[in-house]
Amino acid sequence: MDRPVIRILSIGLFALAAFMVFASPLTQGDAPPDLRIDIRHSGEANLRVVYEWRRAQRRMIFQTVAEGYRKRQWTIVPDGFEIFSEGGADYIRRAGGGRFRRVEIIARPDNIRLDKEYQPLVKYGERGALLYTGHFWPMIKSGGRVNAVFDFTPAPAGQVVAFGDRAMRIENWRSPEDHPAFVYMGPLAPVETQDVMALVDPGAPQWIAEEFNTLVPRAFSALSQLFGFTPETKPNLFLSANVEGDAGRLSYAGDALPSQFQIMLRGGAWSRPNAKAREVFIHSTIHEATHLWQAAARPASDETPEWIHEGAADAITAEARVALGDWNGAAFERNAQRARSECASELETGSLNGAAARQDFRALYVCGHVIADAVALAEGARVVDFWRALIEKAERAGGYTETMVYDLIEERTGDAEFAQAVRYFADTPLAQPGEEIEKLMTAARTAAGQRRPAASL
Ligand SMILES: [Zn+2]
């Protein structure tokens, strides 16, 4: 129970989401749609989804969802169709073969909480539904998404909320991020501020809702200042909580998508205000918010290691807390020190670049944080300054790679040996991780000392 924070879910998802942007043609907004997906919400969390193709198809292909979700929770209304899974994809086709232009399905929410992917459809507050469009949006054979538009019709007295849009009905919708997104349908009134459109599940304890409403504008203004821009699309934030049960449980799961994040709190420890829960909430929420700015630089592929953005998000969260006046220098240093000692123990079992494969997700955060801090020290700048430069570089290149990160480190520190030391640290299984972290910090100080004149903080 001493490690109550569960952030595992957000880890793989953000990188995967970012990769999918590049897998889908970015220009499809100009072409007439090949498919219309009409989604009607029935008042509970059930959806009626009608697929209307411009040209007749032999089958529809979907990215598979774990636990056989579609087979269990989708019903195809017309007779003579079947759903089957093969080679990591789900298919809908006519049982006897042959082409079709229209299919109608009923989709129900799932009670199984998926560990490593977005929930396709969840009940969100009274008579509300939160859906992830990626699980309703067919793929093309080569892996990108079909050129499709969505129509959303909530149940009577409900609204649909998609990024900055809220309406009784939305037609011909495409995500402003050219990317799968969360869309809410139901009676909840979103809280719209200058910065965000937020949907807070009324089941969340009052103190959390208040904390959220206070934190978001403060954190957004601090992050806008640190990054030097505000996100182009008004982000959606979704906050839900299930505080029944185990009084010792304090779980925070965050899912980040471009311009959106979802926070799901679980456990009895959230039910009443307390210092530990508040600290987890503030820190993790700023971490998720940081991803909204980082998304301006997207990984070029799913080969790009996640420690780059997860570690930096932790490090920038610490910088934001200093900027907000939450933390003094000593608190900042304690946090950095904790990352170093946690990283040392995580790397006992293998290299940082091998961590995701051995499911050691914690290493990605803490060791990525250590690297981000070392680079900042070597540069005599803040982690967020490195990210501002990375965003610029990634925009020109259409995404960033691990190599691009090392090149930028060399460019900004003027020290090829230091850049090499960072690469070694990430790549190599280390016999004495604690000592290697010390060496890395020493190399950073050396790099900083060599540069004349020293950059100012
Ligand atoms: Zn994260």
Side-chain angles (χ1 to χ4, degrees):
M1 153 67 214
D2 212 27
R3 179 77 56 71
V5 187
I6 299 175
R7 251 199 243 126
I8 288 171
L9 195 63
S10 68
I11 294 168
L13 294 177
F14 186 78
L16 174 73
F19 171 60
M20 276 153 41
V21 174
F22 292 95
S24 68
L26 290 170
T27 50
Q28 67 176 206
D30 307 329
D34 296 322
L35 171 65
R36 175 170 301 276
I37 305 170
D38 180 26
I39 300 188
R40 287 167 194 266
H41 171 222
S42 80
E44 275 315 311
N46 290 353
L47 302 180
R48 201 181 60 113
V49 186
V50 176
Y51 293 92
E52 290 256 24
W53 291 87
R54 194 153 58 95
R55 292 201 187 86
Q57 305 289 312
R58 284 194 182 281
R59 58 184 188 175
M60 295 203 290
I61 312 171
F62 295 90
Q63 227 169 35
T64 198
V65 183
E67 310 288 347
Y69 163 74
R70 289 194 187 87
K71 267 203 146 142
R72 288 184 297 110
Q73 301 295 356
W74 283 19
T75 305
I76 305 178
V77 176
D79 279 338
F81 281 86
E82 61 182 3
I83 300 179
F84 69 100
S85 305
E86 200 177 276
D90 290 353
Y91 297 88
I92 289 181
R93 68 174 176 200
R94 273 193 200 284
R99 294 177 186 270
F100 59 90
R101 286 186 55 187
R102 183 179 187 282
V103 174
E104 179 179 339
I105 63 153
I106 303 293
R108 288 174 298 273
D110 207 349
N111 291 325
I112 299 177
R113 172 75 204 171
L114 305 175
D115 265 352
K116 290 280 166 50
E117 38 190 309
Y118 301 110
Q119 293 291 123
L121 175 61
V122 291
K123 192 170 177 312
Y124 199 86
E126 280 288 293
R127 290 176 293 118
L130 184 67
L131 71 113
Y132 172 65
T133 61
H135 289 325
F136 292 88
W137 186 0
M139 313 292 293
I140 52 179
K141 235 185 356 203
S142 58
R145 298 274 172 179
V146 170
N147 172 14
V149 292
F150 288 85
D151 297 336
F152 297 107
T153 311
Q159 285 191 320
V160 48
V161 179
F163 297 100
D165 291 335
R166 54 189 284 201
M168 303 295 281
R169 176 171 159 81
I170 292 179
E171 283 177 354
N172 295 312
W173 184 86
R174 294 174 192 269
S175 161
E177 299 283 351
D178 253 316
H179 194 281
F182 297 123
V183 172
Y184 167 81
M185 286 192 273
L188 271 186
V191 179
E192 187 167 9
T193 70
Q194 203 188 325
D195 312 304
V196 300
M197 180 89 92
L199 273 161
V200 179
D201 179 344
Q206 187 60 25
W207 77 272
I208 299 272
E210 281 165 17
E211 201 66 57
F212 184 76
N213 291 336
T214 315
L215 174 63
V216 164
R218 289 177 72 231
F220 273 57
S221 111
L223 288 166
S224 293
Q225 285 254 320
L226 288 169
F227 278 93
F229 65 91
T230 48
E232 254 171 55
T233 306
K234 185 177 267 198
N236 275 154
L237 312 186
F238 301 94
L239 170 69
S240 65
N242 179 354
V243 301
E244 311 285 301
D246 188 355
R249 186 165 179 223
L250 181 66
S251 145
Y252 181 116
D255 291 347
L257 280 170
S259 294
Q260 294 183 321
F261 66 77
Q262 193 199 165
I263 299 165
M264 212 174 280
L265 308 177
R266 284 183 185 205
W270 293 108
S271 59
R272 267 182 292 281
N274 63 85
K276 184 160 191 175
R278 178 175 285 117
E279 171 57 28
V280 168
F281 184 77
I282 291 174
H283 205 76
S284 305
T285 304
I286 299 176
H287 172 104
E288 296 301 332
T290 301
H291 288 323
L292 299 176
W293 275 262
Q294 286 180 305
R298 294 188 186 168
S301 78
D302 60 357
E303 305 282 293
T304 308
E306 291 151 330
W307 61 258
I308 296 171
H309 71 264
E310 292 298 0
D314 269 0
I316 294 170
T317 299
E319 292 176 345
R321 300 203 65 181
V322 172
L324 286 167
D326 282 2
W327 281 4
N328 58 18
F332 181 86
E333 191 39 51
R334 269 200 304 280
N335 175 261
Q337 182 55 52
R338 199 158 46 232
R340 292 199 284 273
S341 57
E342 267 197 69
C343 172
S345 70
E346 295 299 330
L347 295 188
E348 295 287 346
T349 48
S351 74
L352 175 54
N353 276 341
R358 57 177 194 273
Q359 306 243 316
D360 179 5
F361 298 117
R362 191 67 196 148
L364 305 174
Y365 290 82
V366 288
C367 300
H369 186 170
V370 168
I371 290 177
D373 281 352
V375 172
L377 177 61
E379 279 186 27
R382 299 165 306 184
V383 175
V384 75
D385 296 316
F386 182 85
W387 266 78
R388 289 167 79 147
L390 183 63
I391 286 168
E392 232 173 75
K393 213 174 158 118
E395 262 171 6
R396 284 196 303 272
Y400 68 88
T401 61
E402 185 180 4
T403 303
M404 195 188 289
V405 169
Y406 299 131
D407 289 348
L408 188 60
I409 293 171
E410 180 175 340
E411 200 178 292
R412 288 174 61 87
T413 60
D415 187 335
E417 251 173 69
F418 174 68
Q420 191 49 44
V422 176
R423 185 194 288 265
Y424 172 85
F425 183 80
D427 270 345
T428 317
L430 304 167
Q432 305 278 356
E435 279 173 31
E436 298 288 346
I437 290 171
E438 287 313 311
K439 274 193 214 161
L440 183 67
M441 300 317 279
T442 305
R445 276 187 285 273
T446 308
Q450 278 165 356
R451 231 181 20 264
R452 295 284 182 272
S456 65
L457 267 168

